[in-house]
Amino acid sequence: MNKLERQNRIIQAIQNSDKMTASQLAKEFNVSKRTILRDIDDLEEQGVKVYAQHGKLGGYQIKDAQSKISLSLTENQLSALFLTLNESQSYSTLPYQSEIQSIIKQCLNLPQTRLRKLLKKMDYYIKFEESTNVTLPQLFSDILIYCTERNVMLVDYLENERMQAENVIFIGLLCKYGQWNAVIFDIGRGHTRELPIMDIQDISYSFEKTIKTQDISIDNYQQFLNPADTTN
C-alpha cells in the first residue's frame, strides 16, 4: 500500500467510525503512530479538515473532506482559463481529464447570463484537434508527494523491455514536448537521471538508506548527472 492509498483509506476509516485515535489507525494500517501523525499533517495541508479531540474519549474526526475552493476571476481571466482547459484536452497527458471536463461544464453553467453565453460561443465555434498522447498513470500525483518527502523509494520500472528495481529519491517532474519524466537521484548509480513516468510500474517505500539530497532541485539536477559531480 503506497502513501496516497493509505491516506485515502485513513479518511475512509475515520469517516466510517466517526472518530479514531492515532493508535487505532496505526494498528489498523500496520504502521507506526508517528507515520499516522505525519499522514494527518499531510492531509491537513491538502485541505482535508481533520479535527482532533483530546482526552480519554478523544480521537480524529473529518468534516467536509472535499472542501470547495472559490476563485475571484475577471471575465478575461475566466475566458483565458476556459480556453486553456479546452485546449489542454487535445494534448495533455495529465491524469485529470474528468476533473477538467467537470470544470468546463461548471463554466458553461455559470449563473451570469452574459458570461455564460460568451463561454458557450467559444465552446461552439472553437475546436481543438485531439492528439493520440497516452494519459499518464494515476501515480503521477503520488510522485509529487515523494518529491516533497525526499525519502528513499523502491521503484520498479521497464528498461529495454526488462523489469528493473532501484532505490531512488524523487527530485521533481520534467515535461519535454508533452513527454513526462521523473527526475530521480539513483542511489545505486550515484547520480541524477530522468526516468519516463510511463515506464514506472510500481513505487514503494524503502528504508535501507538515508541520503541527503536537499541541495539537488528540479532547476539544478543537471549538475548532478555526472557521478563525479555528486558529493552526497
Side-chain angles (χ1 to χ4, degrees), residues 66-120:
Q66 298 295 325
S67 58
K68 299 283 186 178
I69 298 174
S70 61
L71 298 176
S72 179
L73 302 175
T74 65
E75 288 189 10
N76 285 341
Q77 289 172 336
L78 183 58
S79 297
L81 175 62
F82 181 77
L83 285 177
T84 300
L85 291 174
N86 267 294
E87 181 189 25
S88 73
Q89 294 288 275
S90 66
Y91 63 79
S92 177
T93 58
L94 296 175
Y96 302 118
Q97 275 80 3
S98 61
E99 289 82 0
I100 292 175
Q101 282 293 332
S102 176
I103 297 173
I104 291 173
K105 184 176 180 180
Q106 290 181 57
C107 289
L108 293 173
N109 288 284
L110 288 171
Q112 294 88 343
T113 304
R114 178 175 174 276
L115 185 54
R116 183 178 68 251
K117 287 182 177 180
L118 172 61
L119 296 182
K120 285 188 174 182

Side-chain angles (χ1 to χ4, degrees), residues 133-218:
N133 289 336
V134 179
T135 301
L136 289 171
Q138 288 296 326
L139 57 78
F140 176 84
S141 300
D142 295 355
I143 294 176
L144 290 176
I145 297 175
Y146 303 145
C147 291
T148 302
E149 293 180 337
R150 292 295 178 95
N151 289 328
V152 179
M153 310 298 298
L154 179 64
V155 177
D156 297 317
Y157 63 95
L158 288 174
E159 186 174 65
N160 298 323
E161 298 184 353
R162 295 183 61 184
M163 187 67 73
Q164 306 286 343
E166 300 286 349
N167 279 323
V168 308
I169 294 176
F170 285 94
I171 304 300
L173 291 163
L174 179 69
C175 184
K176 291 183 179 179
Y177 309 109
Q179 302 299 313
W180 284 86
N181 295 309
V183 176
I184 60 173
F185 181 83
D186 191 318
I187 296 175
R189 303 183 190 189
H191 60 85
T192 58
R193 64 187 180 100
E194 299 170 13
L195 180 62
I197 291 182
M198 291 301 299
D199 291 343
I200 299 176
Q201 304 298 303
D202 192 25
I203 306 173
S204 57
Y205 283 92
S206 176
F207 301 96
E208 295 181 5
K209 299 179 181 179
T210 300
I211 306 294
K212 294 181 180 179
T213 58
Q214 296 305 320
D215 54 336
I216 306 177
S217 70
I218 193 64

Side-chain angles (χ1 to χ4, degrees), residues 44-62:
E44 289 181 319
E45 289 180 3
Q46 295 168 33
V48 179
K49 296 181 179 180
V50 183
Y51 294 85
Q53 293 185 352
H54 301 285
K56 186 176 181 180
L57 300 177
Y60 289 110
Q61 290 180 304
I62 291 180

